[in-house]
Every structure is written in structure tokens, then in C-alpha cells.
Amino acid sequence: MVTNDLARETALYEQRKAEFEKEHKLEWVVIHEDEVVGFYDDFQKAARVAVERFGRGPYLIRQIGISRQPLPASVLYRPLYADN
């Protein structure tokens, strides 16, 4: 289930999913509101850009071409560089 906070980002991802899979398969995409922020080789790079630009969000970070994997609610992303 998608929360309303990410409905916009998820809709954009779904609209452009075929294009993303053709050009950026297995990369990570960051989407904020109606903007595709960028494509990244790994989650850490994608997360760093998202956090630096948008703080706590909301924003969507998704690996392209991989089915979504649910995470437990207790999982919280906090990068090591956040303490610097």
C-alpha cells in the first residue's frame, strides 16, 4: 500500500517504468514530487543525494527492475555520514 505522501512519486515511477528499465536497469532512482532527481549505482549514493536535498522527504528511492521488497516498520535508514 502506498501512502499519500508517496503517491505522486510512485505514479511517476509507474508511468516511466518501461523507460527506466530499458535505460537504467538495476540502478537506483530518486524521485521527488514530479522530478526524477537522478540515477545512481548504489543505494548509499541515492540516499545521500535524497537526504542532502530533501531532508526527511518524502521522496522515493527505488531500484529499477527489481520487485519491491517490504521492510519491517522498525527499519530506519540513517547513513553513517549523517553524524558528521
Side-chain angles (χ1 to χ4, degrees):
M1 183 170 141
V2 177
T3 66
N4 288 337
D5 289 343
L6 292 176
R8 217 167 149 178
E9 290 82 356
T10 301
L12 177 59
Y13 178 85
E14 292 300 326
Q15 288 171 347
R16 298 186 59 191
K17 184 177 178 178
E19 170 193 341
F20 293 165
E21 287 180 352
K22 183 178 178 183
E23 298 175 11
H24 299 282
K25 191 161 186 160
L26 301 181
E27 293 181 32
W28 294 83
V29 63
V30 175
I31 300 173
H32 175 68
E33 295 179 353
D34 295 322
E35 176 188 4
V36 176
V37 176
F39 301 94
Y40 305 91
D41 294 331
D42 62 56
F43 176 79
Q44 294 297 327
K45 289 177 187 175
R48 177 175 287 145
V49 169
V51 169
E52 287 173 356
R53 288 191 58 186
F54 309 113
R56 292 180 174 230
Y59 42 79
L60 179 71
I61 301 174
R62 184 169 295 173
Q63 190 171 22
I64 300 164
I66 301 296
S67 61
R68 291 176 46 192
Q69 307 242 338
L71 297 175
S74 61
V75 173
L76 174 66
Y77 172 74
R78 180 165 172 82
L80 297 175
Y81 58 82
D83 294 330
N84 293 338

